[in-house]
């Protein structure tokens, strides 16, 4: 057994209280073995009984952040096209470039996205994209945790091509489930309720269930996604989703912006989760998700950045701040979506939504940890560290990142990816990609 200890810092407990404590990790199992309660927090001890000791003096140890909805390789399109509504942006800018993506582009984009994520204290992400094997290989190397799925689309395809795409979605989910020493899990991921026709849901959802796969899809993101379903099927989108068998407790949908009360009740009854992506929803002017009502109804809400092209970064700390701010505006109530709620959403809420045991620091939990340096002007004074996480902390405050008991970043240096090489490759491939698309 090899062991790791995080010494001298404060620890965010599952009840969101904070105290000085040392965290002991069994690196063989990847779990937290103990959290002491007797640390004086003054300075790192030199005689700690562990193979590796990380200094957390002046720091806050929090559960690693969980990005429950993203398209990680879209980092290559960061800043390529902004300031347009969703449908125009997808058709004019994003889809033409995505059509030119090669597997190597996706690998390089995933490297960049995972590098950025580790530097932002993210220890797990849920990814819907293409060429899943490329992303899986980077996850394996980088040491992060991920739930991966192939985004299935049927519109603008003939029946044979659409069925082949859905079959691919099932095949890659089976192939990579449990990969990277169990750090990779998978889901069946039909892109959305409007980009996959009913007949493919009817054929392939039962097959996904037979394989024990959760289902992840985009839903109710814009008004333009709601109206066609009401017109064609005579019911609201989530009633349609329930009819298709898409709202099981292990399922999670991205966005849920335009939901009526019946749909919120349906989510509460079925136990399906919503991944709130406030930055993307604001930037594309998609609307404001009713997060306070979802929480009051007992729906599990996680946080996601969505792709970087609509964000434009992968920081869950930014997302938490956005979620709190926009949640108050939506509810017309400054006490709505408080700091505790968004801190819970980016840790345990997201983890629960995508089927992970992480999101809490306690003995027996996965050792997925972000360590934030509190000795910063913008984090001074320290009246309330939960408030700081929600409103004041930035990705660049993350000093160490630990996932499954392994140190992925120490003192801002990522140990599992070569930062300079990854950034150089990504910049080169992104330029070449855009040139091909614009020819
Ligand atoms: Zn998305």
């Amino acid at each position: 057994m090899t062991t790791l200890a995080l010494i001298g810092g404060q620890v965010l407990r599952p009840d969101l209280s904070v105290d000085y404590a040392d965290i002991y990790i069994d690196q063989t199992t990847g779990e937290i073995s103990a959290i002491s309660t007797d640390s004086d927090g003054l300075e790192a001890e030199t005689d700690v009984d562990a193979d590796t000791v990380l200094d957390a003096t002046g720091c806050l140890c929090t559960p690693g952040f969980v990005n429950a909805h993203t398209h990680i390789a879209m980092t290559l399109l960061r800043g390529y096209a902004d300031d347009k509504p969703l449908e125009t942006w997808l058709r004019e800018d994003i889809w033409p470039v995505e059509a030119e993506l090669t597997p190597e582009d996706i690998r390089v984009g995933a490297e960049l996205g995972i590098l950025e994520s580790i530097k932002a204290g993210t220890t797990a992400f849920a990814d819907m994209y293409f060429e899943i094997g490329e992303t899986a290989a980077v996850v394996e190397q980088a040491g992060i945790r991920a739930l991966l799925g192939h985004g299935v689309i049927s519109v603008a395809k003939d029946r044979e091509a659409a069925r082949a795409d859905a079959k691919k979605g099932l095949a890659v989910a089976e192939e990579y489930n449990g990969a990277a020493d169990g750090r990779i899990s998978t889901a069946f991921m039909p892109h959305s309720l409007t980009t996959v026709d009913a007949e493919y849901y009817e054929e392939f959802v039962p097959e996904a269930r037979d394989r024990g796969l959760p289902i992840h899809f985009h839903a109710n993101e814009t008004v333009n996604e709601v109206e066609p379903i009401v017109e064609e099927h005579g019911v609201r989108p989530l009633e349609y989703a329930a009819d298709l068998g898409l709202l099981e407790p292990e399922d999670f949908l991205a966005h849920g912006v335009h939901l009526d009360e019946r749909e919120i009740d349906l989510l509460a009854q079925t136990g399906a989760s919503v991944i709130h992506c406030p930055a993307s929803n604001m930037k594309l002017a998609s609307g404001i998700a009713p997060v306070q009502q979802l929480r009051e109804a007992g729906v599990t809400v996680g946080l996601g950045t969505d792709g970087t092209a609509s964000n434009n970064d992968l920081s869950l700390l930014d997302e938490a701040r956005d979620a709190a701010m926009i949640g108050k505006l939506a509810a017309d109530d400054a006490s709505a979506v408080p700091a505790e709620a968004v801190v819970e959403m980016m840790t345990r809420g997201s983890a629960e939504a995508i089927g992970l045991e992480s999101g809490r620091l306690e003995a027996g939990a996965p050792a997925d940890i972000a360590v934030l340096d509190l000795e910063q002007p913008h984090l001074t004074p320290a009246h309330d560290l939960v408030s700081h996480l929600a409103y004041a902390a930035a990705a660049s405050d993350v000093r160490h990142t630990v996932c499954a008991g392994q140190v992925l970043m120490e003192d801002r240096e990522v140990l599992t990816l070569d930062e300079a090489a990854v950034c150089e490759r990504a910049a080169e491939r992104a330029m070449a990609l855009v040139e091909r698309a614009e020819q």
Side-chain angles (χ1 to χ4, degrees):
M1 177 171 109
T2 53
T3 54
L4 169 69
L6 274 63
I7 300 299
Q10 299 184 70
V11 174
L12 182 71
R13 304 282 186 164
D15 65 359
L16 300 186
S17 65
V18 174
D19 61 350
Y20 282 95
D22 300 328
I23 302 176
Y24 293 90
I25 292 159
D26 176 352
Q27 293 186 296
T28 313
T29 63
E31 290 178 353
I32 296 170
S33 46
I35 301 181
S36 76
T37 51
D38 54 1
S39 169
D40 58 14
L42 293 178
E43 58 188 66
E45 298 165 39
T46 51
D47 57 349
V48 175
D49 184 20
D51 298 305
T52 309
V53 175
L54 274 186
D55 179 15
T57 310
C59 295
L60 173 65
C61 302
T62 80
F65 308 131
V66 179
N67 188 354
H69 177 74
T70 188
H71 313 280
I72 202 89
M74 283 185 90
T75 45
L76 292 192
L77 302 183
R78 186 197 330 264
Y80 172 62
D82 303 301
D83 309 326
K84 294 182 178 182
L86 178 66
E87 279 79 12
T88 316
W89 175 75
L90 285 174
R91 283 176 205 289
E92 288 181 2
D93 303 297
I94 299 302
W95 287 344
V97 181
E98 285 188 334
E100 295 292 328
L101 279 170
T102 66
E104 181 64 18
D105 289 330
I106 290 180
R107 178 176 296 234
V108 169
E111 284 178 343
L112 180 63
I114 291 170
L115 174 72
E116 181 186 350
S117 297
I118 292 170
K119 295 201 81 171
T122 297
T123 51
F125 65 97
D127 189 57
M128 179 195 286
Y129 218 53
F130 322 107
E131 304 293 348
I132 296 312
E134 300 297 329
T135 306
V138 185
V139 169
E140 163 110 55
Q141 183 196 343
I144 200 167
R145 217 181 274 284
L147 180 143
L148 306 177
H150 169 81
V152 174
I153 292 181
S154 76
V155 290
K157 286 183 181 146
D158 63 29
R159 190 150 196 283
E160 199 180 333
R163 290 188 74 242
D165 201 33
K167 283 184 176 173
K168 188 175 190 177
L170 290 174
V172 297
E174 274 202 301
E175 183 177 352
Y176 294 103
N177 209 359
D181 300 322
R183 281 183 285 107
I184 293 178
S185 52
T186 58
F188 183 58
M189 299 194 181
H191 178 266
S192 79
L193 298 173
T194 53
T195 52
V196 177
D197 292 313
E199 63 178 292
Y200 305 103
Y201 280 110
E202 283 155 9
E203 180 173 356
F204 292 101
V205 167
E207 291 210 30
R209 298 297 176 206
D210 288 346
R211 291 163 171 79
L213 296 169
I215 296 178
H216 177 44
F217 56 103
H218 295 91
N220 302 49
E221 181 176 358
T222 65
V223 177
N224 297 340
E225 261 185 79
V226 173
E227 283 164 357
I229 290 171
V230 173
E231 273 167 32
E232 191 179 343
H233 304 282
V235 290
R236 296 277 306 176
L238 293 194
E239 293 174 290
Y240 171 62
D243 290 343
L244 292 170
L246 293 178
L247 297 185
E248 294 297 315
E250 66 270 28
D251 297 341
F252 55 108
L253 60 92
H255 300 298
V257 171
H258 300 279
L259 298 171
D260 73 4
E261 272 177 32
R262 246 178 328 165
E263 290 176 294
I264 293 172
D265 286 346
L266 202 50
L267 288 164
Q269 285 160 19
T270 58
S273 307
V274 172
I275 312 305
H276 181 36
C277 303
S280 176
N281 297 156
M282 288 192 282
K283 184 163 185 260
L284 296 165
S286 300
I288 309 179
V291 171
Q292 183 68 10
Q293 285 118 287
L294 286 166
R295 288 179 54 83
E296 284 168 3
V299 177
T300 301
V301 181
L303 267 189
T305 59
D306 214 351
T308 49
S310 62
N311 189 302
N312 290 357
D313 64 48
L314 296 171
S315 166
L316 267 294
L317 288 163
D318 283 5
E319 216 63 38
R321 186 170 192 255
D322 290 343
M325 304 280 189
I326 198 177
K328 294 171 196 314
L329 266 186
D332 191 24
D333 176 2
S335 70
V337 195
E340 296 77 21
V342 294
V343 170
E344 197 177 86
M345 280 159 60
M346 71 174 154
T347 54
R348 196 164 39 186
S350 281
E352 275 180 23
I354 69 170
L356 299 180
E357 295 288 315
S358 55
R360 61 203 163 90
L361 298 185
E362 60 187 3
D368 293 7
I369 305 168
V371 182
L372 281 82
D373 181 1
L374 297 171
E375 294 178 344
Q376 306 283 344
H378 63 276
L379 300 179
T380 304
H383 292 303
D384 180 344
L385 295 181
V386 171
S387 165
H388 279 3
L389 278 176
Y391 296 119
S396 54
D397 299 326
V398 178
R399 182 175 164 195
H400 315 304
T401 304
V402 173
C403 181
Q406 309 304 312
V407 182
L408 308 189
M409 179 172 77
E410 180 173 4
D411 288 321
R412 299 288 305 151
E413 185 191 349
V414 175
L415 307 178
T416 53
L417 294 166
D418 179 339
E419 180 169 345
V422 166
C423 291
E424 191 183 331
R425 270 199 295 277
E428 278 173 12
R429 292 210 73 99
M431 294 303 281
L433 169 67
V434 165
E435 274 171 29
R436 285 200 305 280
E438 290 176 351
Q439 263 173 17

